[in-house]
Amino acid sequence: MAGMGPHPAVADVRRAVRLALGDLRPGELVLAACSGGADSLALAAALGFEAPRAGLRAGLLTVDHGLQEGSADRAAEVVRLAPRLAIGLAEALTVSVGTSGGPEAAARQARYAALSRAAERLGAAAVLLGHTRDDQAETVLLRLARGSGTRSLAGMPARAGIYRRPLLGLGRATTVAACAALGLIPWDDPHNLDARYTRVRVRERLLPALEREIGPGVAEALARTADLCRDDADALDAWADAVYARAVQAAGDAQDCALSDIETGGPVVRVAVREIADLPAAVRRRVLRRAAVEAGAPSGTLSAAHILQVDRLVTEWRGQRRIEVTGGIGVVRRYGTLIFARQPASPVS
């Protein structure tokens, strides 16, 4: 019927994308990462509609992980679909997936590396990802099962560097309905039904069981929990950043000659114990974690258990020897100062 607007699901996805593009300048390039599934296909279609209306250029990237027979053909099909979505620039990126961290983590690492390289090469201002509220709920459950802290339970951010996730406020049912209304046929990745993958078991078994036993709305509640945790984590991180700056400055001002005998091939970070001793544990441990990372400890392998051990140098000081964390970095307490460094140091006698 003339004058009739788009299907409600199409309108919802377009609105979400429009809001995500609001701060970009006319002429900038925005890329949609599209696997051909319902979420990313609806996202790409919305970008193709909204970008020209905002004076932006739209592009599409699809990643061929090479993990399934015919994957190159499917990637080519997604590229060929771009003109129908009103997207002029489209590329298939071929990656080699390693084994580090398991198949899911390895594929994700390879995918993001390829997307980042392509975005830099093309001069893109943003890359849109099709994660929905259901993906956010799955992420929260997975991290909850691992005993993660507030920052991890915050789930996936709506923005992280060049990446943006416009659809975190929408359910997967909306993207499926949007594709149907637009006459787009999504590709159902067999991996999305493979129970060998933890996320698939969460999606296909755990979340439906929670919905049956607790009632509808579990995904929405979990996504809302992520939002609340992110607000808390942001506040605690800001507090910890301010304390860290003071504690490092105070340790430097002390100019204690007893601290000058540490020879190291890497950075040395000194933190004044008096500046952090009376802080809430959530803030103090954030300061300790940052100090360890600044000294060279790899953040990906720096666990809560490591930080808890370092924290005892503050809260349960009894002349302990050096605490080893990760990446060859250790921590020792000397005369009211925590020293994070690679070179072993003798404790106070």
Side-chain angles (χ1 to χ4, degrees), residues 33-52:
C34 183
S35 66
D39 300 339
S40 61
L41 197 55
L43 175 74
L47 176 63
F49 181 85
E50 294 292 341

Side-chain angles (χ1 to χ4, degrees), residues 142-333:
L142 285 167
R143 294 179 178 178
L144 184 64
R146 290 199 295 263
S148 300
T150 308
R151 174 56 67 190
S152 290
L153 293 181
M156 296 177 288
R159 294 189 182 186
I162 198 172
Y163 295 104
R164 304 186 180 197
R165 296 179 173 91
L167 308 185
L168 286 181
L170 302 178
R172 192 168 289 133
T174 300
T175 63
V176 171
C179 287
L182 294 170
L184 299 172
I185 302 175
W187 173 62
D188 292 323
D189 186 347
H191 281 175
N192 289 336
L193 296 175
D194 190 338
R196 290 177 299 175
Y197 297 103
T198 307
R199 185 175 286 271
V200 172
R201 295 196 297 274
V202 169
R203 176 183 304 141
E204 297 296 321
R205 300 176 185 176
L206 183 54
L207 270 172
L210 289 172
E211 294 273 355
R212 288 194 304 270
E213 299 298 329
I214 299 176
V218 170
E220 291 89 338
L222 287 168
R224 189 162 57 250
T225 295
D227 290 338
L228 294 171
C229 285
R230 186 173 301 107
D231 289 342
D232 290 349
D234 287 346
L236 290 169
D237 285 348
W239 186 356
D241 286 346
V243 171
Y244 177 83
R246 290 199 306 270
V248 169
Q249 180 66 44
D253 289 345
Q255 296 181 343
D256 191 330
C257 63
L259 306 181
S260 64
D261 64 336
I262 296 179
E263 301 293 336
T264 177
V268 176
V269 177
R270 299 180 177 93
V271 174
V273 172
R274 69 176 183 274
E275 295 290 338
I276 64 174
D278 296 329
L279 290 172
V283 179
R284 185 176 61 249
R285 291 170 186 167
R286 277 171 163 78
V287 173
L288 299 176
R289 179 179 180 83
R290 176 168 174 181
V293 171
E294 293 287 340
S299 61
T301 56
L302 186 60
S303 70
H306 290 137
I307 299 304
L308 185 60
Q309 288 295 320
V310 177
D311 195 35
R312 290 185 178 129
L313 294 178
V314 179
T315 62
E316 301 175 24
W317 174 240
R318 297 187 302 274
Q320 296 98 310
R321 293 182 177 273
R322 172 182 162 101
I323 300 295
E324 301 293 338
V325 284
T326 184
I329 302 302
V331 190
V332 67
R333 174 169 170 163

